[in-house]
Amino acid sequence: MDRATKIYVEKQLEDYPKLDQYITERRLELKYPSKPIDDNVGAPKGSGISNPTERMIITIDSDKRLNQLEKTKEAIEKVLNNLDENATNLVELKYWKKPQTLTWAGIAAKANYSRRQCFNVRDAIIKSIAEELGLG
């Protein structure tokens, strides 16, 4: 796996606790845009989808950013659900505990791994998430 992919996946994993919030915010942005979207620029008034509810559903379903957030959440959840307790603990300590005060040696001690095992487990988790996202 290349370095850029690894960094991207680690950032997604770090943001995982906030993904529900990001998804909710994006749905609200689409449902209540700050400026109404005029999809009918330059066309006669009767040529678009006239049902506002139907138009909203199509907008939400076709939004690339929202779809990517949901896909990322599903991929991470799938990988996390297959981890043992020590690996889950490693993820929590490395990516979700704020402020980050532990070194890899401290994380290893709390997760019941050696420092080298921590790197191996982390790499396996990152690789699994990347594969679920279609990046690996």
Side-chain angles (χ1 to χ4, degrees):
M1 172 185 327
D2 67 3
R3 188 169 185 272
T5 301
K6 183 177 179 180
I7 290 170
Y8 173 79
V9 172
E10 282 190 298
K11 178 64 178 148
Q12 299 309 306
L13 187 56
E14 190 176 301
D15 282 349
Y16 174 75
K18 301 175 197 166
L19 280 177
D20 282 330
Q21 176 188 344
Y22 295 159
I23 289 169
T24 300
E25 287 172 359
R26 184 62 185 156
R27 284 183 186 276
L28 289 173
E29 287 172 4
L30 293 170
K31 194 171 182 180
Y32 305 107
S34 58
K35 181 179 176 187
I37 300 169
D38 185 7
D39 294 330
N40 201 19
V41 176
K45 290 291 179 198
S47 66
I49 298 171
S50 61
N51 183 338
T53 304
E54 190 176 324
R55 188 175 337 130
M56 182 57 54
I57 291 169
I58 291 170
T59 299
I60 289 173
D61 283 347
S62 63
D63 186 70
K64 289 179 183 179
R65 189 165 137 212
L66 179 60
N67 289 335
Q68 185 60 41
L69 287 169
E70 290 172 340
K71 181 180 176 183
T72 300
K73 181 181 176 208
E74 290 171 14
I76 292 172
E77 284 176 348
K78 185 174 180 181
V79 172
L80 291 177
N81 288 336
N82 291 320
L83 297 179
D84 64 26
E85 187 177 331
N86 289 340
T88 302
N89 195 20
L90 181 144
V91 170
E92 290 172 358
L93 292 169
K94 175 63 181 161
Y95 296 104
W96 302 338
K97 184 176 184 253
K98 301 294 179 201
Q100 181 61 264
T101 57
L102 296 173
T103 63
W104 275 111
I107 292 170
K110 289 193 176 218
N112 298 320
Y113 287 125
S114 71
R115 191 168 173 268
R116 181 72 248 163
Q117 282 176 307
C118 280
F119 293 130
N120 292 341
V121 169
R122 179 212 45 200
D123 291 345
I125 292 168
I126 298 300
K127 183 179 181 209
S128 296
I129 294 170
E131 287 172 356
E132 288 296 324
L133 291 172
L135 302 173

